[in-house]
Each structure stands twice: as structure tokens, then as C-alpha cells.
Amino acid sequence: MSTAQANAEMKSWDEQTWDGERYDEVTGPKQTVGGMTTAYTGDLEATGDLRFVMSYADDDSCVSTGYEVVTGTLNGRRGSFVLHHTGGFHDGAATGTFTVTSATGDLAGLTGTGRLTWPRGEPGRFELDYELA
């Protein structure tokens, strides 16, 4: 088993309630859908394109699930892979876990799980424990 670590920088964010309002213009409990583009640097040099669904209990916390297509280089091997994310936002930080669901190119056969920690206003931290057949 190998471990890859990378910093994550948000490049774009789009989130709306199910009826099309901006997520930050609706207070209290709500459900949203959206997308985020991320640049990864470190053992993973890549761009991630995430689509997610979130459920907010209040304005300061939520749970989420989504899928991210990551395209680039993982420890020198080029390709793309899909991550299934589950997590949420609590106490000023987004945290979650993910599982590799498929991979292509030099990364075909990639399996693994990982975690992401992203304090508000700071770079995120990505860690992937993986095997590559």
C-alpha cells in the first residue's frame, strides 16, 4: 500500500439550492447541488472536477456526497480516476473520506481510500492510501 499526499486549492465553486437560489442567500435548513474545481499539488499533480449534493441542518454545518473526476499525474503515472466523496462541513472545516471507483490511462487498476481536510480560508490537505495493479 502506498500513500499520496497533496495540497488542494479551490479554483471555482458553484452551489445553489434545489430551486436555483444561491446557497448563501437562503438561511437555515436547505438542500443544495453544486460543483467545485480543485488544483492538487504534491504527490498528486492534477485537476479535480467535483459534483456534489449537500444537506444543511443550519447555516454552519452540512453533510455531503459527490463524485470527482481527477485528471493528472499520481506519483509519476498519468491518467484519471473517479472518487466517491462523503463528508461535511462542521466547526469551520470541510472534512470527508473518499473511495476510488474507477481509473484510466497509466492509473488503470488504481484502488484506494483517503481523506480530505479543508479548514475555511486555508488550503486543503488530500491523502490517498492506494494500490496500483
Side-chain angles (χ1 to χ4, degrees), residues 26-30 56-59:
V26 176
T27 59
K30 60 190 167 229
Y56 288 80
D58 53 46
D59 292 335

Side-chain angles (χ1 to χ4, degrees), residues 40-94:
Y40 294 103
T41 56
D43 296 332
L44 176 63
E45 293 285 336
T47 299
D49 185 18
L50 171 67
R51 296 292 180 258
F52 58 81
V53 177
M54 295 179 154
S55 180
Y56 288 80
D58 53 46
D59 292 335
D60 295 320
S61 64
C62 71
V63 294
S64 63
T65 188
Y67 287 90
E68 179 179 19
V69 177
V70 180
T71 304
T73 305
L74 175 65
N75 283 327
R77 295 180 74 164
R78 185 143 191 75
S80 64
F81 54 96
V82 176
L83 299 176
H84 174 223
H85 288 266
T86 59
F89 185 84
H90 304 282
D91 300 324

Side-chain angles (χ1 to χ4, degrees), residues 98-122:
F98 52 81
T99 302
V100 176
T101 63
S102 63
T104 65
D106 293 339
L107 298 174
L110 177 70
T111 60
T113 60
R115 58 237 134 255
L116 186 63
T117 305
W118 207 317
R120 185 184 326 214
E122 297 179 27

